[in-house]
Amino acid sequence: MTDSSSEHNIIRIGELHTPQQREFSRTLLLSPLTTTAAQQPPGLATRSTDSVIDLSMPTPVTADSGSTQTRILPGTTGNSRRKMRVPTPSLLGTLEFKIYYVICVTTIVNMIYTMYQASSPKRPEYAGYKEELSEGWMFGRMVDLSDGQWDTFRSHLPAFASLMFVYVAMNWVFRLVVVRRVSREFLQTPTKVRGFLPTLWFPFLFATVFAIILSGVSTVFILAFTGVNFILAKRFGGRRWAPVVFWVFNMAVLFANEYYKGYEFGRMLESLAWLDQWRGVLRRWDVTFNITMLRMMSFAMDYHWRVRQEDEASVRQIDALVANPKTEKDRVERSCFAQDYCFTNYWAYLLYPPLYLTGPIITFNNFVSQMRYPSPTISTRHTILYGLRLLASALLMELILHTVYCVAISKWAQWETFSAYEISLFGYMRLSFIWLKLLIIWRFARFWAMADGIDTVENMRRCMSNNYSLQQFWRDWHCSYNKWLVRYVYIPLGGRKTSTWNTFVIFTFVALWHDLTMRLLQWAWIIALLFLPEGLATWYFGKPRWTSKPYFRLLCSLGGTVNIMAMMIANLVGFGDEGVEKMLAKIFSRSGFAFLAVAYVILNMYLQVVFEWREYEYRKEYAAHEASAQWEMTDTAPRVPVTRSASDSPTLTKRQNRSGIGE
């Protein structure tokens, strides 16, 4: 049969490297349409027409016998196909933008000087918050370590760095000495070993000891909750209502952890009160368990979708896609072998030392895939450069905390003697401090994982000050968490079809996941409400009759400035200190009106520079695609041909949601 007549019989699963893969492709794919039931591969013997299971196309399929159809496997998303527009001419060298540069640079210099002067020991306010400061090592000044989370991380950083070195060195030696000698078959053909992977032997042992040192006897609670989640996943995975069970259990655990504050043994039984003295280094293990809960849900849902996929394709077809993942999308969406969803892999994944306490979050599928096939994006040079970036970020934080006491002043919250301009700068720096603090903590964890050969998502992909869109801001803030929400919450609840109420559900969960406080719920609902006007404005002004106008970028900056101010207010409400109400009242008072007007104009100019910088980034992307003659941004979608009779078609229309919840 010629290629043209068997186009629908071609499987696209990347390049087939091994003889087993090539044999599989010949057996499964190069058979004619008239293959008899006896000749068909296992798992396909009862089906008879040509349709395609596409592991990445997101739209449900309606019945249409006699034509090639596409349907998705549960737990997968689609490829967004869009043609690349031609970039606009550069404006960076024009007179207009040279004026913007001068104004922006002058404003930034003035902002730095004003904050430095407002934090001066010569100011009368200094005596009020001096007790919050600590002895510093730069410029003979005090350092602001009044943020408990940063103070803890900073003081324990030498211990964390030592632990990182010990773990990475021991794991490297273990793989070199033990894994290479005991499991050469795995190193040569990783797909031959299924279940407890040799590359997870040492992480499993180290993680167990690590958890016991951190949590002491409280490890029994961690084991109990994670064990029940594992049992629920293995028992109910694949059933339509299983995701509801997983969510109810995990949310109940979060609420119980918050209510009982780590479950003291003495409260359960007086005779066990002595055990409370052996609760490990991290006595409140429940504080960091929120991150573990995300991994528990990832394992349960990934296994659930693996079982559901077996309703759409044979085990052999699904397993064939495990080999040689090319992209992060492949690692996340392609299920592992059924045997890989075992308790030992699960436990090593939950307690993986580099990512255990803080993240970034990585899905179970991705984690196991990288343990089988190391990520090609990890290299010694890349890891060293990333470590230098981490060091530069830490030094910048030290410089800021020695010169601007934004955290101590915000906690002191006596704003009567500060001007509206100074108050707004401290509010901005308070949010910048939170961004930089989390960036350093997450970068350290990611650097540790990279040194161990695991590639994770950069949690802070873009500077906080380089955002004007609410949607883009939350995509780049705690990026791995955002991806987790999209995969396990947003898409299962309907995705874009239900985006309006979906957004409220997601941000309500985000608030409850962070902390059970009304203040965070208010923050979450304010953020969700802000999505509505931005979405409406994008829909209305995104039409050609507006985008073709020369003043379109001015309209965007006018709306973007409002967005920035609204996001700052919402985040100050959610993550600011107790005196944030006084801060906002002073800024939006009659005396602060002139400042707000000037700030609005300058922010518009700043956004023009941001817009042009984004366009500069797009020009480089466009040029790269043009050079390689790739005019569309597409993914190679792994396809598995499946035969199906016309009589089976009506059953497909009943499954409108392939992602689990609500099926």
Side-chain angles (χ1 to χ4, degrees):
M1 181 175 288
T2 63
D3 292 341
S4 60
S5 62
S6 62
E7 182 178 356
H8 54 273
N9 273 2
I10 295 177
I11 184 171
R12 295 198 287 124
I13 55 175
E15 299 180 8
L16 304 180
H17 297 286
T18 66
Q20 293 85 352
Q21 290 176 316
R22 289 191 286 271
E23 180 182 358
F24 168 76
S25 67
R26 287 193 294 269
T27 303
L28 180 62
L29 308 173
L30 303 183
S31 57
L33 281 177
T34 55
T35 303
T36 63
Q39 295 172 325
Q40 289 178 348
L44 305 180
T46 59
R47 303 171 183 172
S48 60
T49 62
D50 60 315
S51 64
V52 174
I53 286 182
D54 187 335
L55 299 189
S56 60
M57 296 303 291
T59 54
V61 175
T62 57
D64 181 16
S65 60
S67 63
T68 299
Q69 299 183 24
T70 300
R71 50 181 177 159
I72 64 170
L73 292 182
T76 61
T77 59
N79 297 325
S80 57
R81 291 176 177 265
R82 65 178 178 89
K83 290 186 177 181
M84 298 188 71
R85 63 174 176 83
V86 178
T88 59
S90 176
L91 299 174
L92 292 175
T94 62
L95 177 62
E96 175 192 355
F97 273 76
K98 290 178 180 178
I99 295 173
Y100 293 158
Y101 302 151
V102 172
I103 294 175
C104 289
V105 171
T106 303
T107 302
I108 292 172
V109 171
N110 182 263
M111 289 169 60
I112 295 172
Y113 177 77
T114 301
M115 287 185 289
Y116 180 79
Q117 287 295 107
S119 303
S120 172
K122 298 179 181 180
R123 290 281 295 249
E125 301 89 354
Y126 182 79
Y129 61 84
K130 182 179 179 181
E131 294 182 357
E132 297 285 346
L133 306 179
S134 306
E135 290 294 330
W137 58 277
M138 282 185 173
F139 317 123
R141 290 175 62 94
M142 304 286 279
V143 60
D144 186 357
L145 299 178
S146 54
D147 183 88
Q149 186 182 34
W150 174 253
D151 185 32
T152 301
F153 175 78
R154 183 180 183 267
S155 60
H156 289 84
L157 187 57
F160 290 146
S162 300
L163 180 65
M164 168 188 166
F165 176 79
V166 170
Y167 173 81
V168 171
M170 291 179 66
N171 196 17
W172 182 81
V173 172
F174 185 88
R175 291 182 182 181
L176 184 66
V177 176
V178 178
V179 176
R180 285 192 177 183
R181 294 183 179 181
V182 176
S183 190
R184 291 183 179 179
E185 182 183 40
F186 172 77
L187 298 176
Q188 295 173 355
T189 312
T191 54
K192 285 189 176 181
V193 177
R194 306 183 181 188
F196 191 17
L197 301 182
T199 47
L200 282 174
W201 293 348
F202 179 79
F204 173 83
L205 296 173
F206 193 96
T208 303
V209 176
F210 186 57
I212 294 174
I213 293 174
L214 285 179
S215 305
V217 293
S218 296
T219 307
V220 68
F221 298 118
I222 300 175
L223 181 61
F225 291 135
T226 57
V228 171
N229 183 75
F230 178 81
I231 293 171
L232 291 175
K234 300 295 282 189
R235 177 67 180 83
F236 300 117
R239 304 191 183 189
R240 294 184 178 182
W241 42 264
V244 177
V245 175
F246 304 152
W247 274 106
V248 169
F249 170 73
N250 280 277
M251 291 305 295
V253 169
L254 282 187
F255 292 148
N257 287 350
E258 179 69 19
Y259 183 79
Y260 290 105
K261 306 296 183 184
Y263 311 96
E264 294 182 5
F265 287 94
R267 290 186 177 182
M268 300 179 186
L269 200 62
E270 289 187 11
S271 59
L272 298 178
W274 63 275
L275 290 175
D276 290 325
Q277 301 176 10
W278 304 93
R279 295 175 68 89
V281 177
L282 189 66
R283 294 185 62 85
R284 288 294 305 277
W285 62 271
D286 53 294
V287 174
T288 59
F289 193 78
N290 289 17
I291 296 286
T292 306
M293 172 261 176
L294 301 181
R295 301 189 189 103
M296 290 163 60
M297 279 299 302
S298 176
F299 171 84
M301 291 300 296
D302 284 356
Y303 178 72
H304 166 72
W305 284 324
R306 162 70 202 209
V307 177
R308 294 283 290 167
Q309 287 172 4
E310 294 179 10
D311 294 337
E312 307 290 346
S314 70
V315 173
R316 188 180 183 186
Q317 292 170 326
I318 299 170
D319 289 349
L321 298 169
V322 174
N324 299 308
K326 293 181 176 296
T327 64
E328 181 195 1
K329 182 183 177 72
D330 291 341
R331 296 182 184 277
V332 171
E333 297 195 348
R334 295 185 182 184
S335 294
C336 306
F337 295 120
Q339 299 90 327
D340 292 340
Y341 298 91
C342 59
F343 186 80
T344 46
N345 287 351
Y346 169 66
W347 182 257
Y349 163 67
L350 294 181
L351 274 66
Y352 181 60
L355 308 178
Y356 174 58
L357 295 177
T358 63
I361 303 156
I362 184 173
T363 67
F364 179 82
N365 284 350
N366 192 355
F367 179 76
V368 173
S369 177
Q370 292 197 53
M371 285 296 176
R372 178 174 275 116
Y373 290 99
S375 175
T377 59
I378 297 293
S379 66
T380 302
R381 179 178 180 275
H382 179 57
T383 303
I384 293 175
L385 289 176
Y386 191 80
L388 293 176
R389 291 175 60 192
L390 170 63
L391 178 62
S393 302
L395 291 175
L396 176 61
M397 174 65 92
E398 288 295 299
L399 177 63
I400 291 174
L401 294 183
H402 277 81
T403 54
V404 179
Y405 303 138
C406 59
V407 182
I409 293 175
S410 297
K411 287 190 172 184
W412 184 51
Q414 301 299 318
W415 303 108
E416 289 78 8
T417 58
F418 291 100
S419 67
Y421 179 40
E422 291 173 333
I423 294 172
S424 65
L425 289 180
F426 282 123
Y428 168 75
M429 282 305 299
R430 185 73 174 96
L431 296 177
S432 298
F433 165 79
I434 295 174
W435 175 83
L436 186 57
K437 172 184 69 173
L438 296 177
L439 177 137
I440 294 171
I441 293 173
W442 283 326
R443 275 192 176 176
F444 176 81
R446 185 171 185 247
F447 176 58
W448 185 353
M450 290 171 65
D452 193 43
I454 293 293
D455 191 16
T456 61
V457 175
E458 176 69 72
N459 262 344
M460 298 295 199
R461 294 190 302 185
R462 193 179 290 275
C463 177
M464 184 196 78
S465 301
N466 189 15
N467 280 285
Y468 54 88
S469 164
L470 189 65
Q471 187 177 27
Q472 292 179 1
F473 175 82
W474 287 113
R475 285 177 179 174
D476 294 328
W477 180 288
H478 203 170
C479 183
S480 64
Y481 186 37
N482 177 271
K483 288 177 176 289
W484 186 95
L485 289 169
V486 170
R487 176 167 172 79
Y488 299 110
V489 184
Y490 183 75
I491 293 176
L493 289 180
R496 292 184 180 179
K497 295 180 181 179
T498 58
S499 60
T500 302
W501 73 273
N502 207 341
T503 302
F504 280 90
V505 173
I506 288 174
F507 275 97
T508 300
F509 167 73
V510 169
L512 295 176
W513 180 79
H514 277 91
D515 200 1
L516 301 179
T517 62
M518 182 54 66
R519 183 175 183 175
L520 273 181
L521 281 174
Q522 293 172 347
W523 162 82
W525 294 332
I526 291 174
I527 293 294
L529 283 173
L530 290 177
F531 271 91
L532 296 179
E534 178 178 295
L536 290 173
T538 302
W539 168 77
Y540 181 76
F541 290 103
K543 297 176 182 178
R545 64 172 178 172
W546 292 105
T547 57
S548 59
K549 301 295 184 181
Y551 53 80
F552 176 68
R553 58 188 176 93
L554 178 60
L555 290 177
C556 292
S557 66
L558 291 173
T561 301
V562 174
N563 244 357
I564 290 174
M565 291 183 170
M567 285 191 291
M568 287 186 64
I569 295 171
N571 287 317
L572 282 172
V573 170
F575 297 99
D577 300 298
E578 295 299 327
V580 67
E581 293 83 4
K582 296 180 181 179
M583 175 190 294
L584 295 176
K586 186 71 176 286
I587 293 174
F588 289 94
S589 65
R590 182 175 298 181
S591 61
F593 178 77
F595 157 72
L596 287 175
V598 174
Y600 188 83
V601 173
I602 294 178
L603 278 174
N604 270 274
M605 298 180 184
Y606 170 71
L607 282 185
Q608 293 297 328
V609 178
V610 172
F611 293 159
E612 191 58 27
W613 182 258
R614 296 288 182 90
E615 191 69 8
Y616 168 74
E617 294 175 342
Y618 179 76
R619 291 187 195 104
K620 294 196 298 182
E621 179 186 357
Y622 183 86
H625 280 75
E626 187 179 44
S628 59
Q630 294 179 357
W631 296 96
E632 288 187 347
M633 297 180 65
T634 60
D635 262 337
T636 54
R639 293 176 176 266
V640 180
V642 173
T643 55
R644 187 188 68 230
S645 63
S647 61
D648 292 331
S649 298
T651 61
L652 292 177
T653 60
K654 296 178 182 178
R655 295 182 181 177
Q656 295 300 313
N657 184 355
R658 297 285 179 185
S659 302
I661 295 179
E663 291 187 353

